Amino acid sequence: MDAADLPGDGMVTTTTTQADIRHLVAMVVDPEIPVLTIDDLGVLRSVEMVDETVVVTITPTYSGCPAMKQIEDDISSALDRAGHIEHRIETVFSPAWTTDWITEEGHRKLADFGIAPPTPVEAVLCPQCSEAQPRMIAQFGSTACKALMVCSGCGEPFDYFKQH
Protein backbone atom coordinates (compact mmCIF):
# COMPACT_ATOMS: atom_id res chain seq x y z
CA MET A 1 0.00 0.00 0.00
CA ASP A 2 1.44 3.38 -0.89
CA ALA A 3 0.72 6.70 0.79
CA ALA A 4 -2.05 7.53 -1.68
CA ASP A 5 -4.02 4.52 -0.43
CA LEU A 6 -3.85 5.45 3.26
CA PRO A 7 -6.96 6.86 4.93
CA GLY A 8 -7.03 10.54 5.78
CA ASP A 9 -6.32 13.68 3.84
CA GLY A 10 -3.57 12.18 1.71
CA MET A 11 -0.81 13.89 3.68
CA VAL A 12 1.48 11.38 5.36
CA THR A 13 4.06 12.65 7.78
CA THR A 14 6.40 10.80 10.08
CA THR A 15 6.46 12.00 13.64
CA THR A 16 9.99 11.51 14.87
CA THR A 17 10.01 11.80 18.65
CA GLN A 18 8.31 9.57 21.17
CA ALA A 19 6.72 12.67 22.73
CA ASP A 20 5.24 13.64 19.34
CA ILE A 21 3.85 10.14 18.86
CA ARG A 22 2.38 10.15 22.37
CA HIS A 23 0.73 13.51 21.68
CA LEU A 24 -0.72 12.13 18.44
CA VAL A 25 -2.21 9.09 20.21
CA ALA A 26 -3.36 11.16 23.19
CA MET A 27 -5.64 13.18 20.88
CA VAL A 28 -7.77 10.13 19.98
CA VAL A 29 -11.28 10.79 21.31
CA ASP A 30 -13.41 8.46 23.37
CA PRO A 31 -16.23 7.21 21.09
CA GLU A 32 -18.81 7.23 23.91
CA ILE A 33 -17.93 10.68 25.26
CA PRO A 34 -16.44 12.50 22.25
CA VAL A 35 -15.48 15.62 24.21
CA LEU A 36 -12.85 13.55 26.04
CA THR A 37 -9.62 12.24 24.63
CA ILE A 38 -8.32 8.87 25.75
CA ASP A 39 -5.64 10.83 27.61
CA ASP A 40 -8.26 12.96 29.44
CA LEU A 41 -10.03 9.76 30.42
CA GLY A 42 -6.84 8.08 31.67
CA VAL A 43 -7.25 5.13 29.28
CA LEU A 44 -3.91 5.85 27.58
CA ARG A 45 -1.21 4.35 29.78
CA SER A 46 1.93 4.62 27.65
CA VAL A 47 3.41 5.04 24.20
CA GLU A 48 6.85 3.54 23.59
CA MET A 49 9.13 2.76 20.69
CA VAL A 50 10.34 -0.85 20.65
CA ASP A 51 12.83 -1.13 17.83
CA GLU A 52 10.85 0.36 14.90
CA THR A 53 7.42 -0.44 16.35
CA VAL A 54 5.17 2.00 18.22
CA VAL A 55 3.68 0.17 21.23
CA VAL A 56 0.59 1.80 22.73
CA THR A 57 -0.71 0.53 26.07
CA ILE A 58 -4.31 1.20 27.09
CA THR A 59 -6.49 0.21 30.04
CA PRO A 60 -10.28 -0.04 29.66
CA THR A 61 -12.55 1.81 32.06
CA TYR A 62 -13.99 -1.60 32.86
CA SER A 63 -13.26 -5.07 31.49
CA GLY A 64 -16.37 -5.24 29.30
CA CYS A 65 -16.16 -1.72 27.88
CA PRO A 66 -17.64 -1.91 24.35
CA ALA A 67 -15.72 1.18 23.21
CA MET A 68 -12.28 -0.45 23.44
CA LYS A 69 -12.35 -1.99 19.96
CA GLN A 70 -13.25 1.38 18.45
CA ILE A 71 -10.52 3.08 20.50
CA GLU A 72 -7.97 0.53 19.23
CA ASP A 73 -9.13 1.11 15.63
CA ASP A 74 -8.93 4.90 16.07
CA ILE A 75 -5.41 4.70 17.55
CA SER A 76 -4.32 2.46 14.69
CA SER A 77 -5.82 4.84 12.10
CA ALA A 78 -4.12 7.86 13.67
CA LEU A 79 -0.76 6.12 13.63
CA ASP A 80 -1.26 4.90 10.04
CA ARG A 81 -2.16 8.42 8.85
CA ALA A 82 0.99 9.76 10.50
CA GLY A 83 3.14 7.18 8.72
CA HIS A 84 3.66 4.82 11.68
CA ILE A 85 2.60 1.63 9.96
CA GLU A 86 4.50 -0.61 12.41
CA HIS A 87 2.53 -0.42 15.65
CA ARG A 88 0.96 -2.62 18.28
CA ILE A 89 -1.80 -1.83 20.76
CA GLU A 90 -1.72 -3.68 24.06
CA THR A 91 -4.58 -3.74 26.55
CA VAL A 92 -3.70 -4.19 30.22
CA PHE A 93 -6.16 -4.75 33.05
CA SER A 94 -3.82 -4.32 35.99
CA PRO A 95 -3.77 -1.99 37.67
CA ALA A 96 -7.49 -1.58 37.10
CA TRP A 97 -8.63 1.77 35.71
CA THR A 98 -10.04 4.20 38.25
CA THR A 99 -11.84 7.51 37.90
CA ASP A 100 -8.83 9.00 39.70
CA TRP A 101 -7.05 8.70 36.32
CA ILE A 102 -9.40 11.22 34.68
CA THR A 103 -7.44 14.44 34.31
CA GLU A 104 -8.50 17.79 35.74
CA GLU A 105 -9.10 18.88 32.14
CA GLY A 106 -11.27 15.77 31.68
CA HIS A 107 -13.37 16.73 34.71
CA ARG A 108 -13.86 20.21 33.27
CA LYS A 109 -14.79 18.86 29.82
CA LEU A 110 -17.33 16.46 31.34
CA ALA A 111 -19.03 19.25 33.29
CA ASP A 112 -19.01 21.58 30.27
CA PHE A 113 -20.63 18.79 28.22
CA GLY A 114 -23.40 18.34 30.81
CA ILE A 115 -22.08 15.20 32.54
CA ALA A 116 -21.39 15.42 36.26
CA PRO A 117 -17.75 14.36 36.77
CA PRO A 118 -16.91 11.54 39.16
CA THR A 119 -17.19 12.49 42.79
CA PRO A 120 -18.82 10.75 45.74
CA VAL A 121 -22.53 10.50 44.89
CA GLU A 122 -23.51 12.66 47.87
CA ALA A 123 -21.34 15.48 46.46
CA VAL A 124 -22.68 15.46 42.87
CA LEU A 125 -23.64 18.88 41.52
CA CYS A 126 -25.98 19.49 38.61
CA PRO A 127 -23.80 20.38 35.59
CA GLN A 128 -26.54 22.79 34.39
CA CYS A 129 -27.20 24.92 37.50
CA SER A 130 -24.71 23.60 40.14
CA GLU A 131 -27.52 22.68 42.54
CA ALA A 132 -26.53 20.05 45.11
CA GLN A 133 -28.33 16.83 46.02
CA PRO A 134 -29.70 15.59 42.71
CA ARG A 135 -31.75 12.40 42.75
CA MET A 136 -30.54 9.22 41.04
CA ILE A 137 -33.29 7.83 38.83
CA ALA A 138 -31.36 4.98 37.19
CA GLN A 139 -28.16 3.19 38.18
CA PHE A 140 -27.14 3.16 34.50
CA GLY A 141 -27.26 6.13 32.15
CA SER A 142 -26.29 6.35 28.51
CA THR A 143 -23.36 4.00 29.20
CA ALA A 144 -22.64 1.52 32.00
CA CYS A 145 -20.07 3.86 33.57
CA LYS A 146 -22.69 6.60 34.08
CA ALA A 147 -25.84 6.88 36.20
CA LEU A 148 -28.90 8.94 35.28
CA MET A 149 -29.76 11.71 37.71
CA VAL A 150 -32.26 14.53 37.88
CA CYS A 151 -31.53 17.92 39.43
CA SER A 152 -33.45 18.90 42.56
CA GLY A 153 -33.20 22.57 41.55
CA CYS A 154 -33.75 22.97 37.81
CA GLY A 155 -35.34 19.54 37.23
CA GLU A 156 -33.02 18.70 34.31
CA PRO A 157 -31.92 15.09 33.86
CA PHE A 158 -28.18 14.47 33.44
CA ASP A 159 -25.59 11.74 33.40
CA TYR A 160 -23.23 11.30 36.33
CA PHE A 161 -19.90 9.58 35.62
CA LYS A 162 -19.83 7.08 38.49
CA GLN A 163 -16.80 7.20 40.75
CA HIS A 164 -14.75 4.02 41.10
Side-chain angles (χ1 to χ4, degrees):
M1 173 183 290
D2 65 18
D5 296 324
L6 290 173
D9 62 4
M11 178 72 93
V12 176
T13 60
T14 300
T15 309
T16 55
T17 70
Q18 187 169 321
D20 289 339
I21 298 168
R22 188 189 194 294
H23 178 74
L24 171 78
V25 173
M27 294 298 100
V28 170
V29 298
D30 177 75
E32 293 179 333
I33 310 172
V35 296
L36 292 180
T37 66
I38 61 172
D39 197 40
D40 293 329
L41 195 51
V43 167
L44 179 61
R45 304 306 303 146
S46 67
V47 177
E48 301 172 314
M49 290 298 299
V50 177
D51 298 319
E52 297 296 315
T53 302
V54 176
V55 178
V56 178
T57 304
I58 54 178
T59 297
T61 55
Y62 68 99
S63 61
C65 179
M68 292 310 291
K69 175 67 173 119
Q70 185 63 55
I71 289 171
E72 290 173 13
D73 291 348
D74 292 346
I75 291 169
S76 185
S77 293
L79 289 167
D80 285 345
R81 281 192 308 273
H84 299 288
I85 307 304
E86 296 298 321
H87 58 270
R88 182 173 73 243
I89 301 164
E90 297 179 350
T91 301
V92 296
F93 297 95
S94 181
W97 180 88
T98 171
T99 51
D100 292 342
W101 293 358
I102 298 175
T103 65
E104 189 174 310
E105 177 75 0
H107 279 254
R108 186 194 60 72
K109 288 178 179 179
L110 282 168
D112 289 350
F113 192 61
I115 299 172
T119 187
V121 71
E122 62 275 3
V124 174
L125 299 178
C126 172
Q128 306 302 321
C129 72
S130 299
E131 181 70 28
Q133 300 176 342
R135 181 173 54 91
M136 186 178 299
I137 57 176
Q139 186 65 31
F140 297 100
S142 60
T143 62
C145 56
K146 297 188 293 271
L148 184 59
M149 302 190 90
V150 67
C151 180
S152 58
C154 69
E156 286 293 318
F158 63 92
D159 275 336
Y160 155 63
F161 201 109
K162 294 183 271 190
Q163 183 179 35
H164 64 93

